[in-house]
């Protein structure tokens, strides 16, 4: 009796994270639970709750093509940090948004040049740390490289290879950057760049997903196949939702660029 009470004592604090447990009542600790320590009991409860979730998902998914999984992060925190995985995926989406905003505009502005990376003998630096960027007219931007004249050629090369359809002209320590006219060809070029950026972001997203699934599989000998299956499905579901958001961003950007 003392051993049973010892096993059951930590259950309420763990189960508060699960609406499933609240709906169905507190589960009993397994009779065969060999672990006298709290951690052992905690693992038993995790297994029971995840198994219930699996049974529920499979039942709901009968006759349906997809059953949505929604695992409580608190129940699997010893296996993987799902919140961290979500944050990593959102960071990839955020980087894509920033790229769209900074580099893929119909009209090029001085701010678009700020973060172009310049490779110098001392390392990589943003263009705005090496030169003063200004707009002389709607059709011309100027980059004054007086402070770092030795990096003028490298800066011009970086601007030319930025993917922004710019052809800089060097005049001493001054780089003249003609602003391209807003032609249909230019719009289509930007739309292609948006597609390429989205594909690169999706590749980064796949890496986050693969890293998380690899982490889950490290526990395949410690937890049940059902638990592994649920977690893999949850991670894939998160990745699919992120990819869908990227597709929506691309569609909106393409519409903006092509008019």
């Amino acid at each position: 009796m003392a051993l049973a009470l010892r096993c059951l004592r930590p259950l309420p604090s763990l189960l508060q994270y699960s609406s499933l447990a609240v709906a169905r009542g507190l589960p009993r600790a397994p009779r065969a639970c060999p672990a006298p320590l709290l951690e052992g009991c905690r693992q038993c409860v995790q297994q029971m709750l995840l198994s219930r979730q699996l049974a529920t998902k499979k039942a709901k998914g009968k006759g349906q093509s997809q059953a949505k999984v929604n695992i409580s992060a608190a129940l699997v925190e010893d296996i993987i940090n799902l919140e961290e995985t979500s944050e990593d995926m959102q960071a990839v989406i955020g980087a894509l948004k920033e790229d769209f905003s900074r580099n893929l505009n119909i009209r090029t502005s001085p701010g678009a040049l700020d973060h172009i990376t310049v490779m110098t003998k001392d390392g990589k630096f943003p263009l705005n740390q090496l030169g003063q960027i200004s707009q002389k007219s709607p059709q011309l931007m100027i980059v004054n490289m007086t402070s770092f004249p030795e990096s003028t050629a490298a800066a011009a090369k970086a601007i030319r290879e930025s993917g922004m359809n710019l052809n800089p002209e060097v005049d001493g320590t001054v780089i003249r950057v003609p602003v391209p006219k807003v032609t249909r060809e230019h719009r289509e070029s930007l739309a292609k760049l948006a597609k390429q950026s989205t594909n690169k972001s999706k590749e980064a997203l796949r890496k986050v997903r693969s890293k998380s699934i690899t982490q889950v599989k490290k526990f395949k000998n410690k937890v049940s196949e059902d638990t592994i299956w649920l977690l893999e499905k949850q991670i894939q579901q998160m990745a699919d939702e992120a990819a869908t958001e990227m597709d929506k961003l691309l569609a909106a950007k393409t519409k903006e660029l092509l008019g």
Side-chain angles (χ1 to χ4, degrees):
M1 175 66 73
L3 179 59
L5 289 174
R6 187 179 182 183
C7 286
L8 290 173
R9 188 176 296 118
L11 295 185
S13 61
L14 173 63
L15 294 173
Q16 66 181 339
Y17 296 106
S18 175
S19 59
L20 180 62
V22 173
R24 298 188 176 184
L26 300 180
R28 297 177 179 273
R31 289 182 181 178
C33 178
L37 300 178
L38 298 185
E39 183 60 28
C41 293
R42 186 172 186 273
Q43 291 176 356
C44 289
V45 174
Q46 286 178 338
Q47 185 56 54
M48 284 188 289
L49 292 177
L50 287 171
S51 295
R52 286 183 178 183
Q53 284 188 349
L54 177 64
T56 301
K57 301 305 174 186
K58 284 185 174 180
K60 288 184 177 179
K62 246 182 178 180
Q64 299 177 6
S65 58
Q66 290 291 333
K68 191 170 183 178
V69 177
N70 187 19
I71 300 173
S72 170
L75 292 177
V76 293
E77 59 184 4
D78 293 336
I79 301 174
I80 188 172
N81 189 331
L82 287 176
E83 292 180 355
E84 186 176 295
T85 298
S86 178
E87 289 172 0
D88 289 344
M89 290 183 178
Q90 289 303 311
V92 175
I93 295 174
L96 180 63
K97 289 180 180 178
E98 185 176 357
D99 181 46
F100 280 1
S101 175
R102 180 187 297 168
N103 301 322
L104 297 175
N105 295 306
I106 296 174
R107 296 195 178 278
T108 306
S109 64
L113 304 183
D114 285 350
H115 299 283
I116 289 179
T117 302
V118 181
M119 176 65 76
T120 72
K121 62 180 181 180
D122 297 317
K124 297 179 180 180
F125 297 92
L127 181 59
N128 63 354
Q129 290 186 13
L130 300 175
Q132 295 180 336
I133 306 170
S134 60
Q135 187 149 10
K136 189 173 182 180
S137 72
Q139 288 76 41
L140 181 65
M141 289 186 291
I142 299 293
V143 183
N144 191 327
M145 298 293 295
T146 304
S147 299
F148 296 91
E150 69 280 4
S151 300
T152 302
K157 180 182 179 183
I159 294 171
R160 188 176 297 109
E161 296 178 354
S162 66
M164 298 171 64
N165 193 33
L166 301 174
N167 294 299
E169 303 167 356
V170 178
D171 182 10
T173 58
V174 173
I175 303 174
R176 301 177 185 277
V177 186
V179 178
K181 294 180 179 179
V182 185
T183 61
R184 185 66 185 180
E185 182 180 359
H186 180 51
R187 289 174 179 270
E188 291 175 351
S189 176
L190 290 175
K192 288 180 181 178
L193 289 175
K195 177 65 174 177
Q196 291 172 9
S197 294
T198 303
N199 288 339
K200 288 180 181 178
S201 294
K202 285 185 176 181
E203 180 60 32
L205 180 66
R206 284 190 286 271
K207 289 180 180 179
V208 174
R209 180 202 63 194
S210 296
K211 179 182 176 182
S212 297
I213 289 179
T214 298
Q215 171 65 22
V216 168
K217 287 183 176 179
K218 290 179 181 179
F219 289 81
K220 65 180 180 181
N221 294 326
K222 299 180 181 179
V223 299
S224 72
E225 291 182 4
D226 289 351
T227 301
I228 298 297
W229 181 87
L230 268 174
L231 284 170
E232 288 182 354
K233 189 173 180 64
Q234 172 84 36
I235 292 166
Q236 182 61 55
Q237 181 177 289
M238 292 162 64
D240 290 343
E241 290 172 354
T244 298
E245 187 171 349
M246 289 181 183
D247 287 337
K248 290 179 180 178
L249 290 172
L250 175 61
K253 192 63 180 181
T254 301
K255 183 177 180 180
E256 172 194 325
L257 294 172
L258 297 180

